[in-house]
Amino acid sequence: MTFERKTIVVAMSGGVDSSVVAAMLHEQGHDVIGITLQLYDHGMALQKKGACCAGQDIYDAKMVADRLGIPHYVFDYESKFKQEVIDDFADSYLNGETPLPCVKCNQSVKFHDLLKAAKELKADALATGHYIQKIINGNRAEMHKGFDENKDQSYFLFATTKEQLDYLMFPLGGQTKEETRALAEKYNLEVANKPDSQDICFVPNGNYRDIITKLRPGSDKAGKFIHIDGYEIGDHKGIINYTVGQRKGLGISFGSPLYVIKIDPEENKVYVGPESDLVKTKFTLKNVNWLADDLAPNEARVEVKIRSTTAGVNAILSHNEQNSFVVTLLEEEKAITPGQACVFYQGARLLGGGWITREIE
């Protein structure tokens, strides 16, 4: 088979995964161009260790590119990131939701603007270090879970469109993290033993409340705890401090354990009740992305994940009168949380996903 040399842009975060992708493709003989995104204030970035797209990470990506002898560019997407990800993060909490900023970042900045930049550089593809698999079935590109399910990142990429998937490459999808680190040692990359990024990149010390109150003054306005049976049970410290399913930190004295059941941002109320009231079987999704052209989404039997770290549960998808997607679970699930993602699978294949609304039964 004749080797087809391509120009490939690699999204280099400064971590071991994307660095190995750049080294692999370079070793294969492709023309590799590294791009690193500066997504938030450089001064704040230097304070935040172990994060994606921070000051040290930009330096590390440049160091790897220099070792490989490939071009490397840093793109300043700070204003775009603030608008599309950070502001959305704050507003989601004010709307009584629990956001997923990493999905929003992939959906907007990384797989939209970065992909556009790659095409402007006349690249044949954009490669990332995500642990997912792109499988060509006939003339159709499908997204599948990563080979190593402990590292699978498909949940966070459910919003990838068919057009984007056609252009993307995921060279690490068929291997384990241990194999990736071994390759980093083989290529003699300085980041071989660098820890994985943790938490939300733009939240120093994990304190997201400080970010929200700075962006949205008055967002921590106190209100009432309401028992799910309808009576007041105490005062809360602002709805941004609570999420569905939360038990600890409520500060309520009661005879039995209480959990956050739902949040009403219009009335500034937090409803609490016993754990049994967290069990739900039906909810509505918005902004659904459907990747499976060969399957009809209505009345489809699928496996859904409502959190990245949990096993999937069987469900049926349907449309309601407003043409929104409705998910009916065939097994009970707890703490279905507005603002989080619901992602659909058939086996290892990702079919699509959407955002959980506050319409939960």
Side-chain angles (χ1 to χ4, degrees):
M1 183 181 294
T2 304
F3 171 73
E4 183 183 357
R5 183 172 182 169
K6 296 180 178 180
T7 299
I8 303 173
V9 165
V10 176
M12 297 183 69
S13 68
V16 63
D17 298 325
S18 59
S19 297
V20 166
V21 167
M24 289 171 63
L25 295 173
H26 177 67
E27 183 184 54
Q28 291 168 13
H30 297 294
D31 294 322
V32 177
I33 302 171
I35 292 182
T36 303
L37 305 181
Q38 180 182 321
L39 297 181
Y40 51 99
D41 178 75
H42 191 67
M44 186 172 78
L46 291 172
Q47 300 171 23
K48 175 70 173 172
K49 293 183 178 180
C52 171
C53 309
Q56 181 64 43
D57 293 322
I58 293 172
Y59 173 81
D60 289 344
K62 177 71 167 64
M63 188 166 54
V64 169
D66 287 348
R67 173 173 290 279
L68 298 175
I70 63 172
H72 177 255
Y73 303 100
V74 178
F75 286 7
D76 183 355
Y77 282 8
E78 184 178 332
S79 61
K80 177 78 171 180
F81 185 70
K82 181 181 182 302
Q83 177 185 347
E84 298 286 344
V85 181
I86 300 179
D87 286 346
D88 177 84
F89 177 82
D91 291 337
S92 290
Y93 272 107
L94 293 179
N95 290 332
E97 300 173 342
T98 303
L100 266 177
C102 293
V103 174
K104 293 286 187 178
C105 182
N106 288 327
Q107 184 179 16
S108 57
V109 177
K110 290 183 179 175
F111 282 1
H112 183 270
D113 296 279
L114 181 54
L115 189 144
K116 180 182 177 183
K119 290 187 175 181
E120 288 175 351
L121 288 169
K122 309 297 184 186
D124 299 297
L126 170 65
T128 79
H130 290 103
Y131 287 86
I132 63 171
Q133 298 184 82
K134 172 181 170 180
I135 293 177
I136 305 300
N137 187 351
N139 60 354
R140 181 180 66 246
E142 298 176 355
M143 185 182 293
H144 288 240
K145 294 179 182 179
F147 168 77
D148 181 356
E149 290 214 24
N150 292 322
K151 287 296 296 179
D152 169 53
Q153 293 172 296
S154 59
Y155 177 89
F156 296 99
L157 299 180
F158 79 85
T160 306
T161 67
K162 291 188 288 289
E163 293 76 20
Q164 290 169 346
L165 185 58
D166 286 338
Y167 189 68
L168 288 162
M169 294 176 63
F170 307 106
L172 303 185
Q175 64 191 48
T176 66
K177 181 73 177 202
E178 290 72 23
E179 290 171 329
T180 298
R181 288 203 182 276
L183 284 172
E185 295 280 2
K186 170 193 166 185
Y187 296 129
N188 199 26
L189 302 180
E190 291 86 350
V191 296
N193 295 309
K194 185 176 180 178
D196 291 343
S197 59
Q198 301 291 331
D199 302 322
I200 301 170
C201 67
F202 58 87
V203 182
N205 305 316
N207 192 344
Y208 71 88
R209 296 167 188 84
D210 286 350
I211 295 287
I212 298 171
T213 53
K214 181 178 179 181
L215 290 170
R216 303 289 185 267
S219 57
D220 55 350
K221 179 182 177 182
K224 295 295 182 181
F225 280 119
I226 309 294
H227 194 279
I228 201 70
D229 291 336
Y231 54 89
E232 288 187 12
I233 200 172
D235 297 321
H236 69 67
K237 299 178 180 179
I239 64 171
I240 66 170
N241 293 289
Y242 309 97
T243 186
V244 170
Q246 180 178 335
R247 177 185 173 185
K248 295 181 178 180
L250 301 185
I252 305 173
S253 179
F254 200 71
S256 57
L258 292 174
Y259 297 79
V260 175
I261 306 300
K262 66 177 181 177
I263 298 170
D264 184 342
E266 288 79 18
E267 297 291 331
N268 194 28
K269 294 176 179 177
V270 177
Y271 286 81
V272 297
E275 187 176 19
S276 58
D277 280 321
L278 285 172
V279 177
K280 308 292 181 183
T281 58
K282 196 172 184 179
F283 53 95
T284 304
L285 304 177
K286 63 182 179 181
N287 301 331
V288 169
N289 180 52
W290 186 257
L291 279 169
D293 280 341
D294 55 315
L295 298 172
N298 200 27
E299 302 304 322
R301 290 181 68 95
V302 297
E303 186 178 70
V304 302
K305 293 182 71 169
I306 62 168
R307 281 178 287 276
S308 65
T309 55
T310 58
V313 298
N314 293 316
I316 296 176
L317 301 181
S318 58
H319 289 137
N320 61 17
E321 294 177 356
Q322 291 75 40
N323 204 33
S324 297
F325 273 71
V326 177
V327 178
T328 303
L329 301 178
L330 302 180
E331 309 163 46
E332 292 183 340
E333 185 66 276
K334 289 191 298 187
I336 298 168
T337 307
Q340 295 283 287
C342 175
V343 182
F344 325 132
Y345 296 88
Q346 280 190 347
R349 183 184 178 190
L350 186 149
L351 305 178
W355 299 98
I356 300 170
T357 73
R358 285 194 277 130
E359 298 175 58
I360 298 174
E361 299 175 23

